[in-house]
């Protein structure tokens, strides 16, 4: 098989732009970092532009005027330049224009599949699509492998009329390979960079999805989360991210880490855009038995209708202070959090401070090893289940051992400079998720984050939600599969001292880098969390305060 070279991987992606008004034969283009679902829907419904226009007429951060007859090659050249700098998108859907034309024809015939009809969205490159795009998790080990059908959530996106425009780069294997790699690096896609400071750490593992949505390469993007992989890159890229309850969205044919923690969710520029996308991808899937636990029968909550300015009025919001710990450079985050508490209180919420987790839970959370045992044992079991479904598997990758052996022998995988310690530890564990030792560890997780953790804090204090800086929000909800939403809260000041990541190749903390605020709730509480986040967002509009560099 012929592999693409590293230089070929930063491809030219056709960016999304809003063609907001027609006049005198010209289209006035609103910056794609501002456009919303409803902006696009109105333009499409009124005939101001088509879905083909959205895919084909693209630009980078501009509000200037272009004619539809402008040379597409000029756009491609500019876009190629951008992607070679940020390494955000690994491939564009070669059928994108044909799909857009089909959706335009449906609209012309009076058919609309819903508010997302004909709108482009990007998805993470660990999500299978039964088309000409590949699904690699950022590894050459899966290059050329094919799948029997679309992943469950991708099928729902298509049913909603979404154009799956392409796939985004990610932290390789969703940050579950190395102890010494970088957020946003993959062998297949190179290094993703955030757009708010040169060489910015984009966070991960949904790194490309975060950056793509933040700079408007599509309306929004889809990410996956096991522990922080939607929330953290959303926070660090000035986005709204929804980490749904495990089982609200299908994980079928998404390359897994842990069936108990993996979930699929939207990463968008506004709460309402994220709500529109969650509405489309949530629901039962016969290929993912976790979705059978959805308690709403055949009618999901109306997540878009949950976007209410009054959403915080009368709600009891708890602050679990003892899970907030000292991190270098976090003073601006903590100051912004205190201001956010005041905003939430002024919006009519009842703030219940120091709704802390127990000492046992705190010790397990910071010092225990049950959480990593669960991930390792699940991965040893769940990865082969995904691999067994491949229709073609050019390199005969059937197990974690096969992946590890390939990675150690294929030069572009950058081993041993980037190690395989996480895999080594998982293989050395000596058991998978059918072993009693696994269940012992899993029960510790459930107690740590459950009755003695966030679920206990919610119940014992009669709370509607907990509130934390997103820097501290992912870990406990990950252990019990509960939902979290993050919304932009602030930016590091312009005089911030630069702090690099452990590898020394990315700026983790620096001037103008964003950070977020999270609302945490019990299982299936996404509609409530959306209402709280929307109420906060509309009062602060933090996202608009700093633009990408």
């Amino acid at each position: 098989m012929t592999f693409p070279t590293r230089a070929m991987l930063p491809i030219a992606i056709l960016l999304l732009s809003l063609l907001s008004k027609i006049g005198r034969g010209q289209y006035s283009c609103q910056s794609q970092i501002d456009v919303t679902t409803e902006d696009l829907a109105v333009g499409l419904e009124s005939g101001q532009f088509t879905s083909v226009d959205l895919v084909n007429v693209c630009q980078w951060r501009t509000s200037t005027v272009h004619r539809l007859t402008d040379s597409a090659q000029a756009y491609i050249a500019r876009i190629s330049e951008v992607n070679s700098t940020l390494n955000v998108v690994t491939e564009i859907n070669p059928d994108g224009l044909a799909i857009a034309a089909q959706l335009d024809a449906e609209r012309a015939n009076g058919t609309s599949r819903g508010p997302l009809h004909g709108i482009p969205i990007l998805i993470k490159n660990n999500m299978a699509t039964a088309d000409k795009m590949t699904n690699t998790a950022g590894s050459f080990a899966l290059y050329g492998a094919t799948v029997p059908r679309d992943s469950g959530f991708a099928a729902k996106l298509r049913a909603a009329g979404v154009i799956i425009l392409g796939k985004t780069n990610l932290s390789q294997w969703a940050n579950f390979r190395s102890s010494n790699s970088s957020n946003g690096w993959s062998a297949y896609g190179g290094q993703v960079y955030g757009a708010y400071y040169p060489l910015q750490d984009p966070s991960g593992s949904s790194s490309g999805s975060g950056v793509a949505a933040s700079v408007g390469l599509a309306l929004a993007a889809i990410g996956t989360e096991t522990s922080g992989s939607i929330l953290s890159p959303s926070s660090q890229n000035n986005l709204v991210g929804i980490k749904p309850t495990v089982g609200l969205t299908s994980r079928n044919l998404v390359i897994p880490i842990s069936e108990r923690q993996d979930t699929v969710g939207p990463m968008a520029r506004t709460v309402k855009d994220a709500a529109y996308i969650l509405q489309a991808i949530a629901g039962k899937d016969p290929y993912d038995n976790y979705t059978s636990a959805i308690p709403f029968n055949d009618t999901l909550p109306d997540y878009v209708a949950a976007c209410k300015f009054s959403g915080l009025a009368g709600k009891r919001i708890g602050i679990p202070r003892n899970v907030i710990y000292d991190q270098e450079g976090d003073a601006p985050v903590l100051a912004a959090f205190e201001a956010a508490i005041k905003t939430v209180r002024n919006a009519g919420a009842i703030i219940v401070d120091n709704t802390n987790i127990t000492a046992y839970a705190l010790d397990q959370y910071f010092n225990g090893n049950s959480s990593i045992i669960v991930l390792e044992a699940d991965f040893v079991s769940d990865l082969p289940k995904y691999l067994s479904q491949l229709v073609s598997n050019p390199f005969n990758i059937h197990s974690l051992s096969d992946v590890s052996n390939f990675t150690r022998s294929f030069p572009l995988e950058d081993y041993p400079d980037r190690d395989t310690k996480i895999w080594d530890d998982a293989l050395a564990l000596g058991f998978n998720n059918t072993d009693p030792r696994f269940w012992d560890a899993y029960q510790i997780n459930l107690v740590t984050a459950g009755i003695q953790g966030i679920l206990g804090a919610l119940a014992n204090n009669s709370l509607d939600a907990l509130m934390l800086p997103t820097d501290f929000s992912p870990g406990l909800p990950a252990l019990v599969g509960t939902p979290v939403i993050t919304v932009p809260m602030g930016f590091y000041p312009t005089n911030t001292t630069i702090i690099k990541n452990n590898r020394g190749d990315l700026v983790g903390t620096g001037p103008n880098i964003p950070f977020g605020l999270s609302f945490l709730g019990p299982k299936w509480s996404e509609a409530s969390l959306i209402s709280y986040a929307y109420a906060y967002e509309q009062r602060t509009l933090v996202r608009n305060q700093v633009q990408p560099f």
Side-chain angles (χ1 to χ4, degrees):
M1 171 172 293
T2 301
F3 284 100
T5 65
R6 182 71 59 75
M8 292 167 59
L9 295 177
I11 50 82
I13 175 178
L14 297 176
L15 307 178
L16 171 67
S17 71
L18 172 64
L19 307 177
S20 58
K21 292 181 180 179
I22 288 182
R24 300 191 180 125
Q26 294 179 325
Y27 286 83
S28 172
C29 299
Q30 178 180 334
S31 169
Q32 66 270 16
I33 65 173
D34 300 321
V35 67
T36 68
T37 302
E38 292 173 356
D39 292 331
L40 292 176
V42 168
L44 289 165
E45 290 167 2
S46 63
Q48 295 180 32
F49 50 86
T50 68
S51 295
V52 169
D53 294 334
L54 292 179
V55 173
N56 203 25
V57 183
C58 315
Q59 65 188 72
W60 173 257
R61 283 193 298 167
T62 183
S63 59
T64 59
V65 174
H66 292 285
R67 294 182 182 273
L68 284 176
T69 55
D70 280 354
S71 171
Q73 293 180 355
Y75 297 137
I76 291 171
R78 174 61 178 139
I79 294 159
S80 180
E81 177 188 355
V82 169
N83 205 53
S84 66
T85 301
L86 298 179
N87 282 330
V88 177
V89 176
T90 58
E91 56 198 297
I92 194 164
N93 187 350
D95 298 321
L97 282 172
I99 293 168
Q102 174 192 337
L103 292 166
D104 284 337
E106 289 181 14
R107 189 182 295 278
N109 289 332
T111 299
S112 174
R113 303 189 192 187
L116 296 175
H117 185 109
I119 293 177
I121 287 177
L122 290 160
I123 68 173
K124 188 176 179 179
N125 200 342
N126 63 349
M127 302 167 165
T129 49
D131 54 20
K132 297 171 186 174
M133 293 187 289
T134 190
N135 190 40
T136 66
S139 171
F140 286 100
L142 295 181
Y143 182 75
T146 58
V147 294
R149 60 187 176 274
D150 279 337
S151 54
F153 88 91
K156 289 182 182 294
L157 281 179
R158 292 197 204 273
V162 166
I163 301 164
I164 299 177
L165 184 62
K167 292 195 176 182
T168 58
N169 200 1
L170 72 162
S171 307
Q172 191 181 47
W173 294 102
N175 260 348
F176 208 72
R177 166 191 154 176
S178 304
S179 65
N180 66 340
S181 192
S182 308
N183 287 323
W185 179 87
S186 75
Y188 182 68
Q191 177 65 60
V192 180
Y193 296 102
Y196 284 85
Y197 193 82
L199 303 181
Q200 180 197 334
D201 187 331
S203 191
S205 65
S206 303
S207 314
S209 292
V211 179
S214 75
V215 298
L217 305 195
L219 170 71
I222 307 293
T224 64
E225 174 146 355
T226 306
S227 182
S229 288
I230 290 172
L231 297 172
S232 186
S234 294
S235 174
Q236 203 147 321
N237 289 287
N238 201 21
L239 295 175
V240 175
I242 300 177
K243 179 252 177 179
T245 303
V246 172
L248 182 66
T249 54
S250 172
R251 295 86 44 81
N252 173 249
L253 288 179
V254 175
I255 297 173
I257 294 176
S258 167
E259 64 187 80
R260 287 159 185 82
Q261 294 186 203
D262 293 348
T263 189
V264 173
M267 303 169 70
R269 295 183 292 276
T270 70
V271 174
K272 187 173 280 189
D273 286 344
Y276 273 114
I277 296 167
L278 182 63
Q279 198 77 54
I281 65 175
K284 296 181 180 180
D285 178 0
Y287 292 107
D288 184 348
N289 66 338
Y290 278 70
T291 65
S292 65
I294 294 174
F296 308 121
N297 297 319
D298 294 326
T299 304
L300 291 167
D302 190 332
Y303 298 118
V304 178
C307 295
K308 297 177 180 177
F309 189 79
S310 60
L312 283 164
K315 303 302 179 183
R316 291 175 57 85
I317 308 296
I319 315 295
R321 296 272 181 185
N322 65 344
V323 303
I324 300 173
Y325 51 91
D326 289 338
Q327 292 189 136
E328 184 182 9
D330 249 4
V333 175
L334 299 181
F337 181 59
E338 294 304 319
I341 293 172
K342 293 179 181 177
T343 298
V344 169
R345 181 184 288 115
N346 291 340
I350 301 162
I351 298 295
V352 186
D353 215 336
N354 291 306
T355 52
N356 294 328
I357 68 174
T358 68
Y360 168 84
L362 197 66
D363 180 61
Q364 283 293 331
Y365 183 46
F366 288 126
N367 303 311
N369 66 348
S370 61
S371 59
I372 190 61
I373 289 173
V374 167
L375 295 183
E376 290 171 352
D378 261 350
F379 191 55
V380 169
S381 294
D382 294 344
L383 180 61
K385 292 178 185 177
Y386 171 83
L387 297 171
S388 70
Q389 298 179 75
L390 295 177
V391 174
S392 62
N393 188 346
F395 298 101
N396 294 313
I397 305 296
H398 300 289
S399 67
L400 177 55
S401 294
D402 291 342
V403 173
S404 182
N405 291 336
F406 179 94
T407 300
R408 288 167 176 252
S409 63
F410 192 77
L412 287 179
E413 292 291 320
D414 208 18
Y415 178 86
D417 185 50
R418 299 175 197 263
D419 63 38
T420 57
K421 185 177 188 306
I422 292 174
W423 297 347
D424 300 342
D425 290 348
L427 292 168
L429 187 65
F431 59 86
N432 64 18
N433 64 11
T434 65
D435 191 281
R437 289 168 290 182
F438 167 83
W439 288 100
D440 290 341
Y442 185 50
Q443 294 308 307
I444 292 172
N445 279 3
L446 296 182
V447 171
T448 298
I451 192 170
Q452 297 211 38
I454 56 172
L455 296 183
L458 287 163
N460 296 336
N461 296 282
S462 301
L463 300 175
D464 294 291
L466 299 170
M467 192 169 89
L468 284 169
T470 302
D471 285 0
F472 306 98
S473 71
L476 287 166
L479 302 184
V480 286
T482 52
V484 185
I485 184 168
T486 181
V487 62
M489 183 173 71
F491 304 84
Y492 282 94
T494 55
N495 63 350
T496 296
T497 300
I498 290 173
I499 301 173
K500 291 197 171 182
N501 66 342
N502 290 336
R503 194 174 175 86
D505 57 354
L506 297 174
V507 175
T509 300
N512 292 331
I513 291 178
F515 49 79
L517 172 71
S518 287
F519 293 93
L520 299 69
K523 287 185 177 182
W524 320 114
S525 64
E526 284 81 0
S528 296
L529 298 183
I530 286 168
S531 70
Y532 310 151
Y534 182 83
Y536 173 80
E537 172 197 57
Q538 294 301 301
R539 285 167 170 81
T540 57
L541 299 177
V542 169
R543 175 175 168 76
N544 301 328
Q545 295 174 8
V546 175
Q547 299 296 315
F549 70 88

